[in-house]
């Protein structure tokens, strides 16, 4: 019966836009047929960039009373494409660090950190809460993996310069985030290597690497 | 009286700031040096998810229902009557500093009642109180084990509710124990997380609700890691409660051990939730008595004893509130339309505004959750009560 508590509100929410604007969000063909105009298929992801021409609900204010007599209808329209980012669950993070750093560099400590990141009971789902302890632990885990990488690769035995840090940050961001970093983000990454000038070259590189892996572009979808 | 040079130095140390003293184990010499300095205040909310039977706070309300007799209750005084085998066993200090507080939130469904205990729309009562209480702790408001309410993170003046799932997780964030030479250096970690926050700023701006926790996490960590590591005897605390220093905060004793840790770390408001208190069919009250006796009372006694015996904790002004969704009604222990919370603390005056009447509704109309938290703010002696005037006249 518990699945009903999830399914019914979800179905009600899907119906919220159906009375006069009955294109399911993202159904470009439907929108074209109704509006007779071209529409960009822009996807608003975790880093913003909402597409103003994407279909949006035009019917608001209808209540959708669900279980417990609670109205599950949204009370206000937010900006299109906003608030789509979600924190990666522990089940994903377990393999993410190894995926981006290489299996040999995967941090071992994450296997013991389930209670910190949140592990649901069997057959339940748990929405991760990115608390301060979650993020601090994620940074420590990332640092372990990054240090594994920088101590095993002679490239990182040389202290970073602003040029070499920029090049490496660019490469890492692309690899870790599956997209290019913005100039501001690269500036922040390079800044890490100069913030922490007193440590060994390998650890300075590891701090920069771990910072990229603790940014929202890695920790969230 | 001749004043030694040591006494002069202690006096200047008290003026310099009492916050450092609250982080040191052992005698709080700063409080001794300047008795006029306000003690560090803290509030612990113990929320029994499902319901809080008023036999624990207003046992004279049932006319024989829930198995209440003249011999199984304790008349604490000033109209306050509590169940003898559970609340009545908490010891003389607690019995001399407890009150029942009526909360007429009026909700009889769980989601609304649970939210009503902690939220006024989107405003979080515990976060608002923690912000009003001030101080320099990085973790001013914490939830141990689980959040007391669902929804996005809400922050007030930079203070947010931080979820703590394990003792070792927060111990690591506070810098307890011997540093691991392979781990990030604390200050460097803080600088790096500030840069991670910088990298994340476009996403945080575009996802103000879905990434609200992440934003608050960066802010809390940057603040925490800028402070020196704390000196708290985690192993000693864990041993006192009979729990491990690591692992999930899965039961009340581990949560109360973590609560003591956070008290010493300077937290203002600490939230604990214990599930499975929706005791339908418990017409004799025996289920809740057994549950209270086995899951809450033992470790609560440990905390209360340590609050009175440990010098650092004794110097604090700690208020503990036991509450739940709502009281239980008769005859079937279903959902009553009111709540009679129980508060124990240094500044609590014995008495009650939480007596129940017909249908187990509150006899007195003395407000709802805002007024309940206003009472806690009054106990904590906040310079300004963020919830308005306190209507519960039970403050010493």
């Amino acid at each position: 019966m518990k699945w009903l508590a999830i399914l019914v509100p979800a179905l009600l929410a899907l119906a919220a836009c159906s009375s006069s604007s009955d294109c399911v969000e993202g159904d470009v063909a439907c929108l074209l047929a109704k509006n007779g105009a071209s529409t960009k298929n822009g996807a608003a992801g975790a880093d913003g960039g909402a597409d103003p021409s994407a279909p949006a609900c035009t019917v608001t204010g209808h209540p959708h009373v669900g279980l417990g007599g609670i109205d599950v209808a949204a009370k206000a329209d937010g900006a299109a494409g906003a608030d789509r980012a979600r924190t990666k669950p522990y089940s994903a993070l377990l393999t993410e660090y190894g995926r981006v750093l290489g299996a040999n560099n995967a941090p071992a400590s994450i296997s013991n950190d389930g209670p910190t990141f949140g592990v649901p009971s069997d057959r339940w789902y748990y929405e991760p809460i990115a608390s301060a302890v979650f993020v601090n632990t994620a940074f420590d885990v990332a640092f372990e993996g990054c240090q594994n990488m920088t101590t095993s690769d002679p490239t990182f035995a040389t202290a970073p310069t602003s040029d070499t840090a920029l090049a490496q940050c660019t490469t890492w961001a692309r690899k870790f985030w599956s997209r290019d970093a913005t100039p501001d983000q690269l500036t922040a990454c390079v800044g890490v290597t100069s913030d922490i000038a007193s440590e060994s070259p390998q650890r300075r590189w590891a701090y920069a690497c771990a910072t990229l892996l603790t940014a929202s572009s890695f920790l969230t979808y | 009286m001749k004043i030694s040079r040591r006494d002069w130095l202690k006096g200047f140390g008290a003026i310099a700031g009492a916050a450092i003293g609250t982080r040191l184990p052992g005698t709080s010499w700063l409080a001794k040096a300047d008795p006029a300095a306000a003690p560090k205040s803290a509030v612990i909310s113990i929320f029994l998810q499902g319901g809080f039977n008023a036999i624990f706070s207003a046992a004279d309300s049932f006319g024989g229902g829930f198995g209440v007799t003249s011999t199984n209750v304790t008349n604490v005084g000033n109209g306050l009557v509590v169940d003898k085998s559970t609340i009545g066993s908490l010891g003389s200090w607690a019995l001399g500093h407890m009150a029942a507080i009526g909360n007429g939130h009026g909700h009889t469904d769980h989601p609304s009642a649970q939210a009503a205990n902690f939220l006024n729309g989107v405003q979080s009562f515990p976060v608002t109180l923690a912000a009003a209480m001030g101080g320099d702790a990085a973790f001013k408001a914490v939830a141990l084990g689980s959040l007391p309410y669902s929804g996005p993170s809400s922050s007030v003046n930079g203070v947010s509710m931080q979820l703590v799932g394990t003792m070792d997780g927060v111990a690591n964030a506070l810098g307890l124990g011997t540093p691991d030479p392979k781990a990030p250096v604390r200050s460097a970690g803080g600088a790096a997380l500030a840069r991670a926050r910088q990298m994340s700023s476009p996403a945080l701006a575009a996802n103000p609700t879905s990434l609200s926790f992440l934003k608050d996490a960066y802010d809390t960590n940057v603040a925490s890691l800028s402070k020196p590591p704390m000196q708290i005897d985690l192993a000693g605390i864990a041993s006192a409660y009979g729990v491990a220093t690591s692992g999930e905060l899965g039961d009340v004793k581990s949560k109360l051990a973590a609560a003591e840790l956070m008290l010493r770390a300077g937290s203002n408001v600490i939230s604990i939730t214990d599930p499975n208190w929706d005791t339908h069919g418990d017409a004799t009250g025996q289920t809740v008595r057994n549950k209270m006796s086995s899951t809450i009372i033992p470790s609560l006694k440990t905390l209360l004893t340590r609050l009175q015996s440990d010098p650092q904790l004794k110097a604090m002004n700690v208020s503990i509130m036991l509450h739940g969704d709502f009281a239980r009604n008769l005859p079937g222990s279903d959902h009553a339309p009111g709540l009679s919370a129980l508060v124990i603390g240094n500044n609590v005056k014995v008495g009650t505004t939480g007596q129940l009447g017909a249908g187990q509704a509150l006899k007195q109309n003395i407000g709802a959750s805002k007024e309940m938290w206003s009472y806690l703010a009054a106990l904590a002696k906040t310079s300004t009560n963020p919830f308005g005037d306190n209507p519960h006249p039970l403050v010493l």
Side-chain angles (χ1 to χ4, degrees), chain B residues 117-137:
Chain B
N117 266 272
F118 294 100
L119 296 171
N120 182 9
V122 296
Q123 177 197 38
S124 163
F125 291 130
V127 171
T128 301
L129 177 57
M133 291 168 72
D136 63 352

Side-chain angles (χ1 to χ4, degrees), chain B residues 1 19 37 45 104 113 125 165 175 222 243 306 394:
Chain B
M1 183 181 78
S45 153
F125 291 130
V222 171
V243 300
R306 288 171 69 79
L394 297 169

